[in-house]
């Protein structure tokens, strides 16, 4: 299972997407295996996950990587969206029973749809993962971000920050839908890679400015639901980060230095602690205010105080 979403109004109803293989699909990692080898889809449970059934009518055997529920849709006819590698965006208007592709306006012929996001007004975003591993930019291998204002019926391509072609994650300020946070993956150029880090837009993606460049391989972003001024991020440079001022300044979370970070999840019982999921390194738990617990031999230049 790669992603799950719970129905906020129907107790026990949950949907999951599965890539159909233990080797989970991740953007920027297509060197050894074709995305077409992944066979999976959507499953639904109505008893809190005790039993599951397939929910794939109209959906090809795919590698889905994200599922998103429109909370404004009626409980009897939930609207769901799935991002699928090499396929694009699928939409369901009946709780996941039936699905249709909704790619109008997406220019890539086989879009590596990676992540979805929706703002408080219902505007939908999809991240298209970059295909290339090298430093090339301005070609068919570039990643992209698209926006839809009509429920995925039509998509418009958004501008990325200058030099960025590897968007990885997108978070939207719940209080201000024009404030966007973008996680980006660097291109393989320069000493540490170019075009990666964290970027902020205050005008709905018309322009961007970089707010974190010390870590240039950022995987994803998380906004703390208890305090939207607090944002977390992690990536593949042995670092996890947090900001307490809406992404303007970033501090490294002390003690975490596993190479492949996945996602930061706020601890619901302790506002000063987080969980960090990883690729192959289990789950880390610790305080965002503690002192460094171990010496970081992988990325000492990113240690707190440097």
């Amino acid at each position: 299972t790669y992603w799950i979403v719970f129905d906020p109004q129907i107790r026990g109803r949950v949907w999951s997407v599965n890539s159909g293989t233990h080797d989970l699909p991740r953007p920027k990692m297509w060197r050894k295996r074709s995305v077409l080898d992944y066979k999976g889809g959507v499953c639904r449970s109505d008893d809190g996950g005790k039993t599951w059934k397939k929910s794939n009518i109209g959906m090809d055997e795919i590698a889905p990587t994200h599922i998103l529920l429109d909370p404004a849709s009626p409980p009897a006819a939930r609207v769901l969206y799935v991002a699928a590698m090499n396929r694009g965006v699928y939409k369901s208007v009946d709780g996941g029973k039936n699905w249709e592709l909704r790619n109008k306006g997406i220019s890539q012929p086989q879009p590596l749809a990676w992540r979805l996001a929706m703002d408080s007004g219902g505007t939908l975003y999809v991240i298209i993962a970059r295909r290339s591993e090298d430093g090339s930019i301005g070609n068919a291998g570039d990643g992209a971000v698209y926006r839809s204002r009509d429920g995925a019926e039509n998509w418009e391509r958004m501008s990325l920050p200058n030099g960025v072609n590897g968007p990885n994650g997108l978070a939207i300020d719940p209080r201000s839908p024009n404030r966007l946070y973008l996680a980006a993956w660097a291109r393989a150029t320069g000493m540490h890679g170019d075009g990666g880090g964290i970027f902020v837009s205050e005008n709905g993606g018309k322009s961007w400015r970089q707010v974190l460049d010390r870590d240039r391989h950022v995987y994803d972003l998380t906004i703390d639901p208890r305090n939207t001024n607090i944002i977390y991020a992690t990536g593949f440079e042995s670092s996890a980060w947090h900001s307490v001022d809406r992404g303007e300044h970033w501090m490294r979370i002390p003690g975490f230095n596993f190479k492949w970070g996945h996602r930061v999840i706020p601890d619901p019982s302790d506002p000063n602690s987080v969980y960090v999921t990883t690729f192959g390194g289990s789950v880390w738990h610790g305080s965002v205010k503690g002192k460094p617990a171990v010496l970081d031999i992988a990325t000492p230049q990113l240690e707190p105080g440097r």
Side-chain angles (χ1 to χ4, degrees):
T1 298
Y2 202 63
W3 205 280
I4 62 173
V5 62
F6 294 90
D7 193 312
Q9 296 184 21
I10 306 297
R11 183 180 177 88
R13 182 187 291 174
V14 57
W15 295 266
S16 72
V17 290
N18 196 303
S19 69
T21 174
H22 69 280
D23 184 16
L24 298 177
R26 303 194 288 271
K28 329 298 180 278
M29 289 190 174
W30 308 111
R31 289 187 291 254
K32 298 181 180 179
R33 188 170 184 176
S34 169
V35 67
L36 298 177
D37 291 341
Y38 297 96
K39 307 296 182 182
V42 179
C43 290
R44 172 173 162 168
S45 174
D46 292 299
D47 55 12
K50 294 179 182 178
T51 59
W52 295 87
K53 58 182 178 182
K54 291 182 179 180
S55 191
N56 290 343
I57 297 175
M59 182 181 289
D60 296 325
E61 285 282 347
I62 56 168
T65 56
H66 198 194
I67 183 168
L68 184 147
L69 181 148
D70 183 350
S73 59
R78 284 300 197 194
V79 174
L80 295 154
Y81 302 93
V82 163
M85 286 294 190
N86 224 60
R87 294 290 190 271
V89 179
Y90 284 91
K91 180 179 181 179
S92 171
V93 296
D94 57 6
K97 295 178 182 178
N98 296 275
W99 298 87
E100 291 185 359
L101 269 177
R102 289 289 185 266
N103 288 344
K104 184 179 179 181
I106 296 177
S107 61
Q108 290 87 344
Q110 295 178 318
L112 298 179
W114 172 243
R115 285 288 180 268
L116 297 158
M118 180 179 287
D119 70 19
S120 56
T123 298
L124 185 67
Y125 297 83
V126 63
I127 288 179
I128 307 299
R130 189 178 73 199
R131 287 183 178 271
S132 64
E133 283 285 340
D134 58 19
S136 61
I137 190 169
N139 54 51
D142 286 349
V145 178
Y146 288 86
R147 173 174 54 206
S148 174
R149 304 180 191 272
D150 57 7
E153 297 304 312
N154 297 276
W155 294 96
E156 57 178 316
R157 189 164 184 167
M158 299 174 61
S159 298
L160 288 173
N162 186 42
V164 172
N165 71 345
N168 232 25
L170 183 73
I172 307 166
D173 190 325
R175 299 175 300 170
S176 178
N178 282 328
R179 188 175 181 88
L180 309 177
Y181 304 96
L182 180 71
W185 199 267
R187 296 177 285 114
T189 58
M191 183 175 295
H192 302 293
D194 295 319
I198 298 176
F199 300 81
V200 170
S201 173
E202 299 175 89
N203 53 16
K206 294 179 181 178
S207 61
W208 299 88
R209 55 188 173 85
Q210 190 160 25
V211 290
L212 177 67
D213 65 355
R214 296 173 65 201
D215 189 334
R216 301 186 182 184
H217 296 87
V218 182
Y219 188 83
D220 211 352
L221 297 155
T222 305
I223 297 176
D224 194 320
R226 296 164 301 199
N227 182 351
T228 57
N229 290 330
I230 300 175
I231 310 171
Y232 302 98
T234 191
F236 278 27
E237 291 194 21
S238 308
S239 300
W241 303 85
H242 74 118
S243 169
V244 297
D245 57 5
R246 301 177 78 199
E248 296 298 330
H249 302 88
W250 292 85
M251 298 166 285
R252 189 174 176 185
I253 296 175
F256 177 82
N257 70 338
F258 184 76
K259 179 63 176 174
W260 290 351
H262 177 242
R263 186 167 289 105
V264 181
I265 302 169
D267 186 335
S269 64
D270 182 359
N272 292 321
S273 295
V274 296
Y275 295 89
V276 184
T277 55
T278 69
F279 288 105
S282 192
V283 178
W284 182 89
H285 180 261
S287 172
V288 297
K289 295 184 177 181
K291 295 181 179 180
V294 293
L295 177 65
D296 188 343
I297 61 174
T299 54
Q301 67 275 15
L302 299 184
E303 287 182 349
R306 294 202 177 187

